[in-house]
Amino acid sequence: MRSGIALFGGSFDPLHIGHLFIVEEVRYALDIERVFFVPAYQPPHKSEAPRASAEARLSMLDRALVERPGCSVLNWEIDRGGRSYTIETVERALETFPGTGKPKLIIGDDLCADFGSWEQADRLLELVELVIVTRGGSVESDIIKEFHLIDNSPLPVSSSDIRERIAAGRNYRDLVPSAVYHYIEDNGLYRSSSA
Ligand code: ATP
């Protein structure tokens, strides 16, 4: 029987099939009951603010996940505003979902090298079970010692590549869920490379 929860944070600017693929891989590998996607208002480790508004990123997630069992969206970081610190989200999850054990925290291996710079990184690692998915990089880190490593095939998809494709008028249709494609087209998102 599936049990426990996982948190999956990101900019989701926009949500793409790489995100969905790894969440299903993690649910399958670790028998997780529910994965919560947590869109960041302002990810502290990225130098630029997300291109789409928080509301637009949330709408894309809501539309894409509506018929995906075992997946939900938490808008906590967007409601909080400012810099989105994962430690605050994890502490709230522990209060909100008692009795579900240690939450799992899903990250791509591209985030491992800088994990030590995350707010209260040591405490964060005590509070969660870290789940690392591969993007073809390495899991090297000064502070990450214990983790679940998912043996996923890395899909070479990123939000930044999709934004560049849209700005350049190139094809991106099958890199995002269809609900996200229609939302981007209807709202003219990402068409200029600077706005
Ligand atoms: P950007 O290109 O704008 O930096 P991104 O594609 O990395 O965005 P994010 O929303 O920043 O997407 O990522 C959220 C989480 O998903 C991170 O932990 C990231 O490592 C992971 N992730 C994103 N794309 C993939 C992918 N193709 N395969 C595995 N993990 C991914």
Side-chain angles (χ1 to χ4, degrees):
M1 206 183 97
R2 290 178 182 273
S3 65
I5 63 161
L7 301 169
F8 181 40
S11 306
F12 305 114
D13 187 25
L15 175 75
H16 55 67
I17 57 168
H19 297 127
L20 296 177
F21 180 69
I22 56 138
V23 161
E24 294 299 342
E25 291 282 89
V26 171
R27 285 193 73 224
Y28 181 82
L30 302 178
D31 262 346
I32 292 166
E33 188 175 358
R34 183 154 294 274
V35 175
F36 292 101
F37 288 65
V38 191
Y41 185 76
Q42 169 63 58
H45 56 273
K46 289 198 179 179
S47 52
E48 288 175 15
R51 284 277 311 284
S53 68
E55 292 71 26
R57 291 180 291 118
L58 199 51
S59 288
M60 289 189 274
L61 278 164
D62 281 338
R63 284 156 202 246
L65 299 183
V66 75
E67 286 182 358
R68 191 165 282 261
C71 293
S72 314
V73 185
L74 288 176
N75 59 2
W76 295 347
E77 294 187 354
I78 284 178
D79 283 356
R80 214 157 55 220
R83 284 177 184 263
S84 304
Y85 293 116
T86 303
I87 184 73
E88 295 179 20
T89 303
V90 166
E91 282 172 337
R92 184 159 169 191
L94 286 164
E95 283 169 21
T96 310
F97 309 112
T100 52
K102 261 190 181 187
K104 296 189 170 60
L105 179 67
I106 305 171
I107 64 166
D109 62 11
D110 54 311
L111 303 186
C112 290
D114 285 337
F115 198 89
S117 70
W118 288 30
E119 189 75 3
Q120 298 187 48
D122 290 312
R123 183 166 147 67
L124 183 56
L125 289 173
E126 282 168 19
L127 295 182
V128 301
E129 281 182 31
L130 198 64
V131 179
I132 302 178
V133 297
T134 184
R135 292 186 88 172
S138 88
V139 181
E140 272 179 40
S141 158
D142 294 343
I143 68 159
I144 297 172
K145 307 279 185 248
E146 287 176 35
F147 52 90
H148 301 273
L149 184 61
I150 303 301
D151 182 22
N152 60 290
S153 314
L155 287 192
V157 185
S158 69
S159 297
S160 41
D161 175 56
I162 291 166
R163 294 194 302 271
E164 279 168 26
R165 282 170 173 270
I166 297 169
R170 291 170 59 207
N171 169 44
Y172 71 101
R173 183 170 192 142
D174 297 303
L175 301 178
V176 294
S178 122
V180 170
Y181 175 76
H182 289 297
Y183 188 92
I184 291 173
E185 291 295 302
D186 291 350
N187 292 281
L189 299 184
Y190 309 118
R191 285 198 187 149
S192 90
S193 49
S194 54

